[in-house]
Amino acid sequence: MIELRHFQYFVVLAETLHFGRAAQQLHISQPPLSRQIALMEAELGVLLFERTRRSVRLTRAGARFYQDAVEILNSVERARRNAVAASRGEDGAITVGFMMSSAYNILPALTRTYAAAYSRVDMKLAETLPNLLAEAVRAGQTDVGIMYRPEDLTGLDTATVFREEMVAVLPRTHALAKARVLDASQLAEESFVSIPREIAPLVYDLVVDHCRRVGFSPHIRLETNLQQTIINLVGEGLGVAMVPMSMSSASASGSAVFKPLRNAPVAEVALLWSRDNHNPCVATFVENARTVWREMQRAPGARLVPDSPDTGVR
């Protein structure tokens, strides 16, 4: 049987056309090399080299065999590199689920840098509601989720990848629309538009708890699943709201205004992945996300809330 090492012996000899130099490059002695080449020729049933006392030349069959042998060795090396790359998460596929609001903060930079660094990984993106996304990650239907951290973290690991303040959203015609900064207590008599707690408990609780800290419980008049829809409803004069600051770039109509809040609550976006998910691309995606978040915090003029000591993997 011809083995991989025989192809290596043959190629080196074909390129040097000298048994002594070929043996030296292969770190073997000359007699074993001569025997192995002779065994190859016997196995193939053709002469690969013409030998004289003074020279070694490839036969016509040997020249043809050389082309194929080089291709075989290159294919084996490529297969080795591919296997190593796959084991390191540099090749393969990953499915990333994200909530809509992350498209206005961390998602663009994260996916752009990952695609550039791991061009051989097939990355698929799917927009999903936060409550459904956590279950999809836990069930293995999605490799990684980008969302507000859920209450139930059973079987999940998480890493904070974005932090920003919440801001107030008012109709442009509101009496407070020209204020530079708002205290949440100024909204005590307003009707609120909010995301339902079952969809994103972290954001819902941020709003309610902040209002309670300044002395009132918000009257939630309308609930809708998407932050963009919240902004649109506020713009139509149906109430006020509190949303993550990055959502201010989502208002195209100009009918809503965004105002900083005094002692504003901070919303965290987390990366979620299942502890039972052994896709090596998950590890590279998580590390890339951490790098992107660090760079975003250091960027000149960044209006982001830096990590606190208790954030990170949980």
Side-chain angles (χ1 to χ4, degrees), residues 50-110:
E50 292 179 356
R51 307 165 178 82
T52 68
R53 289 186 178 182
R54 295 185 177 180
S55 67
V56 177
R57 293 190 304 169
L58 282 169
T59 64
R60 185 175 180 180
R64 174 65 248 191
F65 190 71
Y66 173 76
Q67 296 176 29
D68 292 333
V70 169
E71 184 177 338
I72 288 169
L73 291 176
N74 287 341
S75 296
V76 170
E77 175 58 20
R78 184 166 57 251
R80 183 196 68 80
R81 290 197 306 267
N82 289 345
V84 171
S87 72
R88 294 174 178 172
E90 299 168 357
D91 195 358
I94 188 168
T95 302
V96 179
F98 66 95
M99 61 181 183
M100 187 204 72
S101 60
S102 66
Y104 296 95
N105 48 57
I106 187 68
L107 182 70
L110 197 163

Side-chain angles (χ1 to χ4, degrees), residues 163-190:
R163 303 180 83 236
E164 62 180 338
E165 291 183 345
M166 302 284 285
V167 296
V169 191
L170 309 173
R172 186 166 292 279
T173 56
H174 196 281
L176 297 172
K178 294 184 179 181
R180 190 175 65 85
V181 179
L182 291 182
D183 191 294
S185 62
Q186 294 174 274
L187 304 176
E189 302 302 319
E190 303 288 344

Side-chain angles (χ1 to χ4, degrees), residues 1 64 68 79 107 123 127-128 136 191 208 227 233-234 267 288:
M1 289 290 293
R64 174 65 248 191
D68 292 333
L107 182 70
M123 178 171 53
E127 182 181 331
T128 312
S191 295
V208 172
Q227 299 282 358
L233 292 176
V234 170
N288 177 72

Side-chain angles (χ1 to χ4, degrees), residues 73-286:
L73 291 176
N74 287 341
S75 296
V76 170
E77 175 58 20
R78 184 166 57 251
R80 183 196 68 80
R81 290 197 306 267
N82 289 345
V84 171
S87 72
R88 294 174 178 172
E90 299 168 357
D91 195 358
I94 188 168
T95 302
V96 179
F98 66 95
M99 61 181 183
M100 187 204 72
S101 60
S102 66
Y104 296 95
N105 48 57
I106 187 68
L107 182 70
L110 197 163
T111 52
R112 182 176 61 252
T113 55
Y114 187 80
Y118 300 96
S119 58
R120 294 169 60 183
V121 174
D122 181 16
M123 178 171 53
K124 298 186 184 304
L125 302 177
E127 182 181 331
T128 312
L129 293 174
N131 61 326
L132 301 178
L133 182 50
E135 290 308 311
V137 171
R138 190 177 282 109
Q141 299 164 348
T142 299
D143 291 308
V144 176
I146 305 172
M147 59 176 289
Y148 302 122
R149 188 175 278 106
E151 291 183 300
D152 182 7
L153 291 173
T154 304
L156 300 174
D157 280 330
T158 76
T160 298
V161 292
F162 195 81
R163 303 180 83 236
E164 62 180 338
E165 291 183 345
M166 302 284 285
V167 296
V169 191
L170 309 173
R172 186 166 292 279
T173 56
H174 196 281
L176 297 172
K178 294 184 179 181
R180 190 175 65 85
V181 179
L182 291 182
D183 191 294
S185 62
Q186 294 174 274
L187 304 176
E189 302 302 319
E190 303 288 344
S191 295
F192 276 70
V193 184
S194 172
I195 195 167
R197 191 178 190 283
E198 61 267 23
I199 296 297
L202 183 144
V203 173
Y204 180 94
D205 289 348
L206 279 178
V207 174
V208 172
D209 291 346
H210 184 69
C211 291
R212 287 174 176 168
R213 278 197 298 272
V214 297
F216 75 100
S217 292
H219 168 59
I220 298 176
R221 178 185 181 187
L222 295 173
E223 290 187 331
T224 184
N225 293 343
L226 302 178
Q227 299 282 358
Q228 175 64 74
T229 306
I230 290 175
I231 296 169
N232 292 342
L233 292 176
V234 170
E236 293 297 323
L238 296 175
V240 300
M242 294 181 193
V243 299
M245 181 174 61
S246 58
M247 289 304 301
S248 60
S249 62
S251 179
S253 66
S255 56
V257 294
F258 300 83
K259 297 296 175 180
L261 286 165
R262 190 168 287 109
N263 300 317
V266 174
E268 291 187 357
V269 176
L271 219 60
L272 273 70
W273 65 97
S274 171
R275 294 170 190 163
D276 296 327
N277 189 331
H278 302 297
N279 181 352
C281 295
V282 170
T284 56
F285 193 88
V286 171

